[in-house]
Amino acid sequence: MDLEIDIEAPWPASVDGVATDWADLAEAALEALVQVAPELDNPRLLASLLFTSDEEVHVLNREWRAKDKPTNVLSFPMLERADLLDLAPDGPPEMLGDLALAFETCAREAQEKGVPVAHHASHLIVHGLLHLAGLDHEISDDDAEAMEALETKALALIGIADPYGDRT
């Protein structure tokens, strides 16, 4: 799967005192995710990822979801899950969907959780990509647990602790 990545202000080149290459971070998150969600490991798939501001995500959230506020990540799927699962590896490119990640909300949530912004951004990218793949945590508790388990496994592959904490 290929990610088309666009990084806008206010995403800084350095955060938490560490230089951060957001495109590399996104690619690492995707590489980990395809190991636990192999349906995304298809050379035909494309997704776009926009690193942007709360202001831009607010506009998108209001326009497309009728929610008049920013949020951490928005996902706009373009392929049904059944079609994704049936997608042959040969053929023309298929757009999986678009993601938009809001910096200010991501940074605030990371601070509240006591985690590096880069770790929280990685989690939101994995979370958003799973939404593009047709998974949804709002359908049922079982669906939420399955999605969280995939997120946790993918993030562990890149050295990020379980973002949901101890669930026992």
Side-chain angles (χ1 to χ4, degrees), residues 125-162:
I125 293 165
V126 166
H127 183 87
L129 287 168
L130 286 172
H131 273 302
L132 294 185
L135 300 178
D136 194 338
H137 53 88
E138 295 180 356
I139 296 172
S140 71
D141 288 344
D142 288 344
D143 289 319
E145 287 176 19
M147 190 169 169
E148 289 172 7
L150 289 172
E151 292 172 26
T152 300
K153 287 177 186 173
L155 293 170
L157 292 171
I158 52 177
I160 297 175
D162 180 352

Side-chain angles (χ1 to χ4, degrees), residues 9-11 52-56 101-110:
W11 287 84
T52 192
S53 66
D54 273 17
E55 181 180 350
E56 181 65 24
L101 201 65
F103 177 73
E104 297 90 344
T105 297
C106 180
R108 178 181 44 77
E109 290 174 348

Side-chain angles (χ1 to χ4, degrees), residues 102-121:
F103 177 73
E104 297 90 344
T105 297
C106 180
R108 178 181 44 77
E109 290 174 348
Q111 183 177 20
E112 289 168 359
K113 294 174 183 285
V115 300
V117 173
H119 286 193
H120 191 51

Side-chain angles (χ1 to χ4, degrees), residues 69-88:
K69 62 181 182 177
T71 189
N72 51 20
V73 63
L74 287 175
S75 57
F76 301 96
M78 295 180 194
L79 197 61
E80 295 292 329
R81 180 139 180 94
D83 295 332
L84 170 63
L85 296 174
D86 290 338
L87 189 65

Side-chain angles (χ1 to χ4, degrees), residues 17-46:
V18 177
T20 305
D21 185 319
W22 301 110
D24 285 351
L25 180 138
E27 292 291 346
L30 174 60
E31 287 175 24
L33 182 58
V34 299
Q35 293 180 55
V36 301
E39 66 271 23
L40 294 175
D41 193 15
N42 187 318
R44 292 179 60 193
L45 289 174
L46 297 169

